Amino acid sequence: MVKRLLHIVFIGAVLACSDHSYRGDADAGVVEEELVPVMVVVGDPDHLIVTPSGKGQGAIDSDTKEAWEDASIYVFAFKRDLQTSFSVTSQEDSEWCLLDGSGDEMGSLAGKKARIGMLDSYVAWEGINRKIYYPQSNQPYDFYGYYIDDIPVEQEKITRTDDAVQIEVEIDGTQDLMTSKAELTDDQLYREDLTDEDRLDILNYSYSAYTAKRNIQPVMYFKHHLARLRFELYPGRVEANEVYVDSITVRSKDRAIFTVAHKADDRMGVDFSMDSTYTFLSLRETDGSRLRRDTYHTDYTGDYNLPLYERDGVQVGGSLLVAPDTQYEAHIYLKERGKGNNSMVYTYENVVPITCNEGYFEAGKQYTVRIGVYGMMEIDVGVEIVPWGYGGSITIDQEDRYE
């Protein structure tokens, strides 16, 4: 599965248009009788966060196409028509549903599986049907994509209705969830070789054999639907250098309804309100393995007169992808070895709330939780948010308490 994070929502130049309705073949002329393949492009990542190897290995920052290496996405294409029902599979009616997984696996309700090419960002279809063609008409289709990492999904967990496709999911803290609906970009619509009449036809017939023949393909810019937490340690005093992080867990909702396609675009996303229960998600390494023991501690030898967060910090492990919420309960397990002839190892569980000034941890944003360590049991919490990237930083400590 792949993952990598946050609002990091892809920002595409998308043209807002009030009328994308299909107006029949008369406007643009019937497409010549030839097979036109369905091609989809994944937009250039903008600080994309997915995980490598498709193994649910936590979020990794990247602004290159390599972020998608070995990642699979799933794609639907539905006829743009008020009567179209998303419950109809391509196996049942390939005009209404041009693209889904039922052509590869009988009865499948999932999208058509694909991988992103590393050379040109075009997707390569997987499964039995490696080539899909548009109907020989100018009928436009709406394209939806979703990324579900390595979350296992049984067919009974997928629901397709007239208006939506939804999946019941359960996250474990290492998995990214993203969706996209293809929209025309300014670069596509305002090419120098197009006339105003061409642009009107493109608006009406995207995406179809008509637009594909003009090399205007659906482009997917993916949006993240979880919040990302990163953890950093800062030394409150020299003794903190001997304190190690043993593990960090965060209490979060983990069961949700993932709406991967909807006729109302703003209804796509993840809804955790289906279940009121919480579970503890564990911080792991960036490769998905268990957090390394006897590894994470500060080793600061600089000036302790500097403000706490101007001292050198240490990032702990990878990051956690959690349900958006107003606050989280974090359990930070610290340990310290005895001094001198004392070979004992002492451990302590610090239970701290994590909140932010905005009052809500938003989907698609990343937050750094800064932990000021003064001793194994001395991290009582005062939280402040510091601007950082597309999200913010959360500070855990009450420095004044120790000065």
Side-chain angles (χ1 to χ4, degrees), residues 244-247 285 290-296 335:
Y244 287 74
V245 173
D246 214 32
S247 66
E285 298 294 337
R290 182 178 178 178
L291 196 68
R292 294 195 297 270
R293 300 295 175 85
D294 301 317
T295 300
Y296 296 107
K335 71 179 180 182

Side-chain angles (χ1 to χ4, degrees), residues 314-329:
V314 175
Q315 181 176 334
V316 182
S319 60
L320 270 176
L321 295 165
V322 295
D325 212 331
T326 55
Q327 70 171 20
Y328 304 100
E329 178 184 295

Side-chain angles (χ1 to χ4, degrees), residues 226-331:
L226 300 178
R228 180 194 187 193
L229 303 179
R230 298 172 68 242
F231 295 85
E232 294 179 352
L233 300 178
Y234 289 83
R237 54 190 179 212
V238 67
E239 291 83 359
N241 289 334
E242 304 302 320
V243 177
Y244 287 74
V245 173
D246 214 32
S247 66
I248 296 177
T249 61
V250 172
R251 189 170 176 265
S252 167
K253 289 187 174 182
D254 65 335
R255 298 182 61 218
I257 298 295
F258 186 22
T259 301
V260 299
H262 202 291
K263 290 182 179 179
D265 300 352
D266 60 358
R267 299 281 296 276
M268 294 165 62
V270 184
D271 180 6
F272 285 90
S273 65
M274 64 171 285
D275 195 324
S276 60
T277 60
Y278 285 74
T279 190
F280 284 99
L281 305 180
S282 297
L283 178 66
R284 293 178 175 271
E285 298 294 337
T286 55
D287 64 0
S289 62
R290 182 178 178 178
L291 196 68
R292 294 195 297 270
R293 300 295 175 85
D294 301 317
T295 300
Y296 296 107
H297 68 109
T298 59
D299 190 21
Y300 185 67
T301 58
D303 184 0
Y304 279 88
N305 291 317
L306 287 174
L308 179 63
Y309 300 113
E310 291 183 18
R311 303 168 194 171
D312 295 335
V314 175
Q315 181 176 334
V316 182
S319 60
L320 270 176
L321 295 165
V322 295
D325 212 331
T326 55
Q327 70 171 20
Y328 304 100
E329 178 184 295
H331 290 232

Side-chain angles (χ1 to χ4, degrees), residues 384-396:
E384 65 175 337
I385 189 163
V386 179
W388 181 81
Y390 285 87
S393 297
I394 296 161
T395 301
I396 292 185

Side-chain angles (χ1 to χ4, degrees), residues 342-368:
N342 184 357
S343 60
M344 294 289 293
V345 176
Y346 301 92
T347 61
Y348 188 77
E349 175 185 1
N350 297 270
V351 181
V352 296
I354 302 176
T355 59
C356 61
N357 288 345
E358 287 85 349
Y360 193 76
F361 292 84
E362 296 184 33
K365 287 191 176 181
Q366 55 186 347
Y367 302 85
T368 297

Side-chain angles (χ1 to χ4, degrees), residues 115-134:
R115 288 186 181 271
I116 296 84
M118 291 297 100
L119 298 179
D120 55 14
S121 294
Y122 281 89
V123 305
W125 303 117
E126 298 195 335
I128 298 173
N129 297 322
R130 299 297 179 93
K131 292 187 178 180
I132 313 295
Y133 298 97
Y134 283 104

